[in-house]
Amino acid sequence: MHMNSVPQHLLNEDRQDYERILDEALRSAPHNPELAAVGQRLNSEQLRTMALNATALISVAAATEYQHYVKVREEARRPPAVTPAVRDAGAGEPGT
């Protein structure tokens, strides 16, 4: 995926995390005063189904944040760059 393109969906490796976070949000919603109304019109399973069906819309709305997340994750997975050791002329080991 080109980093400047807007993702139309989640990467396959992120789908399981998306569902896990969605489930956690639905479980914790009744305990959050700001979300007290969640579940009064639709039950958790209906909300979950709607969110899963809207994954493409949600990922487009969060495209900037998702691109940043993917970029940071890719950078963290890369092995550190190997740079040749540079010795200063006249700099030696301490005590030599």
Side-chain angles (χ1 to χ4, degrees):
M1 176 175 84
H2 189 275
M3 290 309 298
N4 291 328
S5 64
V6 175
Q8 297 301 310
H9 54 80
L10 293 172
L11 297 174
N12 285 334
E13 67 183 297
D14 295 327
R15 291 189 178 280
Q16 187 175 5
D17 285 337
Y18 175 81
E19 289 187 38
R20 182 184 52 78
I21 292 166
L22 173 61
D23 290 341
E24 178 58 32
L26 291 170
R27 264 193 309 278
S28 65
H31 307 293
N32 185 334
E34 295 173 1
L35 302 173
V38 171
Q40 291 181 359
R41 295 187 189 144
L42 300 170
N43 67 35
S44 291
E45 191 56 35
Q46 290 169 316
L47 291 169
R48 184 180 194 279
T49 299
M50 290 174 66
L52 291 175
N53 288 336
T55 300
L57 292 173
I58 292 168
S59 65
V60 167
T64 300
E65 294 84 357
Y66 185 57
Q67 284 178 345
H68 178 71
Y69 168 77
V70 170
K71 179 182 175 187
V72 169
R73 180 179 61 201
E74 288 174 359
E75 289 171 359
R77 288 179 177 170
R78 281 190 212 125
V82 178
T83 56
V86 177
R87 294 185 180 231
D88 269 339
E93 294 295 320
T96 56

